[in-house]
Amino acid sequence: MSVIRRLAPVLLLAPWPGAGTAAAQAAPTARSLSVPVTYYKLANGLKVVLSQDTTTPTAVVTVYYNIGFRNEPRNRTGFAHLFEHMMFQGSGNLGKMEFIKLVEKSGGLLNGSTRFDFTNYYQVIPSNALETVLWAEADRMRGLDIDSANLKNQQDVVKNEVRVNVLNQPYGGFPWIDLPMRANTNWYNAHNFYGDLEHLDAATLEDVRSFFRTYYAPNNAVLVVTGDFDAAQARGWIEKYFGPLPASPQPPPPDISEPKQTSEKRFTKTDPLAQRPALGIAYHVPDRYTPEWYAFGLINQILGQGRDSRLYDELVRKRGLTGGIGAGINYGLGSQYDYNGPMLWIVSAFHDSSKPADSLIAAFDAAVEPLRTTPVDQATLDRALVKLRSSLYSQVETFGGFGRANLLASFALFDDDPERINRLEAEFARVTPELVMRTAQEYLAPANRTILTVVPGKPADAAAQGATP
């Protein structure tokens, strides 16, 4: 039976019996998410995850490479993103853009993206196109058509994307670039992920070829297939097309650790295109899979998710300081589950000039401070669990099954453990009101946060105000 068919609405509207109690902590059992997972590795090191779901005659193929914004080479900012574009420029048996045409002619959809810790490529296709797409993904993993014309073309495409999406866009880079650059101190966590234009121009043909040989190797990747397929047949195709690809020696991973922040940071950014001020607040979150990390996931639900959240209630409903808030762990670039390293919880809001940023910060503190001084009641924690489970199930179902593939790929790539997807609910259910309070005391402390105010104005205003760009 498929996962999607098991998702009765009651699961998303009410906690399982005894949520938050010792019984629930020991066994959330029958009504928890249960995703079928088959996990193995090829001789060349490629990680493979298969997850069958026969609900519809479609399949998802994803390849995740263990290279992203965070660990791209120094002095080559934006290089991971540049290479994402290069992967569509042709391979040994498919000419420029032919991969895209191949998928679309089969009735499928495809895309790629660059995130903090990976670059991914994915296709949602009719099941009868599965072998063809596996062959095509293996073909471009085997070797790209990397020449000076393709490189120059994609350098221009990416530079134009930076101009359109960041430099010439109101609030460009806010908050998903702006806050990590200010809250973090380690270059790997704090550089301009989209890329400085001069670094993009400086990329050479040999840079690109070396980057491909190093990072686009089977032993630095995971392949996930979900949906309607025959497992034995899929395994045969994967071995046939990916098995012969050679592994490549990997460089030592960079040190992406982030020193503990010990005092509050405040910055102002003047945006000549903005029409209204904006406020961004970022806190460093606990290390992945610690008890505090699970507690912070529920804190995110209590404070920042939905119209029943405390921040919405305080800033929007009670004080009328903004029309809404955005909040999340890995905000703007994924979710709490698909990253590997230091991370921020970010809250953002846009407001009128008549509402000073300090008034929003005061309202923010009024909503946050009770979590740091008083354990939440069990009903509040249970409601947060329901919201979190709803969000998790929604992620699993999204975009024809791609959401499930994304979680499986992330847990396999970073942790060698795609089965983690089926243990998440049980771990969140172990969180107690006391753990929520202790986590809030440590991680929602003012010393652990960075505040960025965006103000409309001319670029010259920034220097006059003593602002940091």
Side-chain angles (χ1 to χ4, degrees):
M1 184 180 293
S2 73
V3 174
I4 293 177
R5 284 176 177 162
R6 282 202 290 268
L7 300 185
V10 66
L11 286 179
L12 306 183
L13 298 177
W16 58 84
T21 66
Q25 293 167 18
T29 61
R31 303 197 325 176
S32 296
L33 188 66
S34 180
V35 174
V37 178
T38 300
Y39 182 46
Y40 64 100
K41 299 176 186 176
L42 300 187
N44 58 15
L46 179 68
K47 298 175 178 179
V48 180
V49 185
L50 305 179
S51 182
Q52 291 175 281
D53 177 3
T54 59
T55 304
T56 59
T58 61
V60 178
V61 176
T62 69
V63 179
Y64 281 53
Y65 293 93
N66 196 11
I67 180 68
F69 295 135
R70 191 189 323 252
N71 52 355
E72 62 188 359
R74 283 180 175 271
N75 301 319
R76 288 293 182 268
T77 58
F79 206 83
H81 179 225
L82 170 66
F83 211 85
E84 172 205 326
H85 287 253
M86 292 296 299
M87 283 291 278
F88 293 96
Q89 297 308 296
S91 55
N93 293 290
L94 290 170
K96 186 173 183 176
M97 309 304 287
E98 286 186 8
F99 188 102
I100 295 174
K101 295 175 183 177
L102 184 72
V103 173
E104 290 180 341
K105 285 181 179 179
S106 74
L109 304 169
L110 77 162
N111 211 334
S113 67
T114 310
R115 303 301 175 95
F116 273 104
D117 302 292
F118 61 77
T119 305
N120 67 347
Y121 305 89
Y122 55 92
Q123 301 83 40
V124 182
I125 52 172
S127 298
N128 61 8
L130 177 58
E131 181 180 11
T132 301
V133 169
L134 288 171
W135 166 81
E137 278 288 16
D139 192 58
R140 64 177 174 178
M141 185 183 289
R142 178 182 292 108
L144 284 184
D145 181 11
I146 301 174
D147 59 30
S148 56
N150 283 340
L151 174 58
K152 178 63 168 62
N153 174 266
Q154 292 311 300
Q155 283 172 317
D156 291 342
V157 168
V158 173
K159 287 191 297 181
N160 187 61
E161 187 175 325
V162 172
R163 294 186 185 100
V164 170
N165 292 347
V166 180
L167 300 180
N168 297 319
Q169 184 75 233
Y171 315 102
F174 175 82
W176 65 279
I177 294 178
D178 291 336
L179 274 166
M181 289 180 67
R182 290 162 172 81
N184 295 315
T185 58
N186 185 332
W187 179 89
Y188 287 102
N189 303 316
H191 68 276
N192 179 0
F193 302 135
Y194 233 126
D196 294 322
L197 298 186
E198 60 268 26
H199 289 176
L200 293 170
D201 280 330
T204 67
L205 200 58
E206 182 50 38
D207 285 338
V208 175
R209 288 171 175 163
S210 175
F211 192 93
F212 177 79
R213 289 192 299 267
T214 301
Y215 297 110
Y216 279 69
N219 53 313
N220 196 49
V222 57
L223 166 68
V224 178
V225 181
T226 69
D228 184 21
F229 59 88
D230 178 87
Q233 190 177 51
R235 290 186 72 141
W237 291 333
I238 291 167
E239 181 63 43
K240 177 180 179 181
Y241 299 123
F242 289 90
L245 306 184
S248 178
Q250 294 299 301
D255 177 10
I256 61 172
S257 61
E258 191 65 33
K260 183 178 178 62
Q261 185 172 328
T262 57
S263 62
E264 183 182 81
K265 303 177 184 178
R266 293 204 180 200
F267 301 92
T268 298
K269 176 182 179 180
T270 300
D271 186 340
L273 300 177
Q275 299 299 309
R276 305 170 68 210
L279 174 70
I281 302 177
Y283 291 83
H284 300 276
V285 302
D287 292 339
R288 295 164 71 238
Y289 310 142
T290 59
E292 293 78 11
W293 183 83
Y294 289 103
F296 209 108
L298 294 174
I299 288 172
N300 174 50
Q301 296 295 331
I302 294 169
L303 287 177
Q305 301 304 316
R307 295 191 171 212
D308 66 336
S309 68
R310 293 186 178 186
L311 288 174
Y312 186 91
D313 188 54
E314 192 68 38
L315 275 75
V316 181
R317 186 171 289 124
K318 289 182 179 179
R319 306 199 191 193
L321 297 171
T322 179
I325 62 163
I329 299 170
N330 196 16
Y331 183 56
L333 281 171
S335 71
Q336 181 175 0
Y337 312 111
D338 55 359
Y339 69 89
N340 184 33
M343 186 48 65
L344 301 173
W345 179 62
I346 291 176
V347 179
S348 66
F350 300 88
H351 58 99
D352 293 338
S353 298
S354 61
K355 312 290 186 182
D358 285 345
S359 66
L360 276 80
I361 296 169
F364 179 91
D365 288 340
V368 168
E369 194 59 25
L371 276 184
R372 305 184 67 238
T373 57
T374 307
V376 296
D377 59 85
Q378 190 61 52
T380 297
L381 188 57
D382 288 346
R383 187 166 61 251
L385 281 165
V386 171
K387 290 167 63 179
L388 185 139
R389 296 175 72 216
S390 176
S391 173
L392 174 62
Y393 280 47
S394 178
Q395 286 188 55
V396 170
E397 293 180 358
T398 192
F399 197 40
F402 168 70
R404 172 163 43 138
N406 174 62
L407 296 182
L408 292 171
S410 299
F411 295 144
L413 190 67
F414 303 142
D415 310 310
D416 208 24
D417 184 19
E419 284 279 2
R420 182 177 294 278
I421 192 173
N422 293 321
R423 303 196 302 272
L424 290 172
E425 290 176 271
E427 295 295 338
F428 283 111
R430 292 188 177 95
V431 174
T432 64
E434 292 72 23
L435 179 57
V436 170
M437 183 179 69
R438 292 199 307 270
T439 302
Q441 286 173 344
E442 179 176 358
Y443 290 94
L444 292 179
N448 189 45
R449 76 181 177 189
T450 299
I451 297 176
L452 173 65
T453 55
V454 178
V455 296
K458 299 177 182 178
D461 292 346
Q465 298 168 10
T468 300

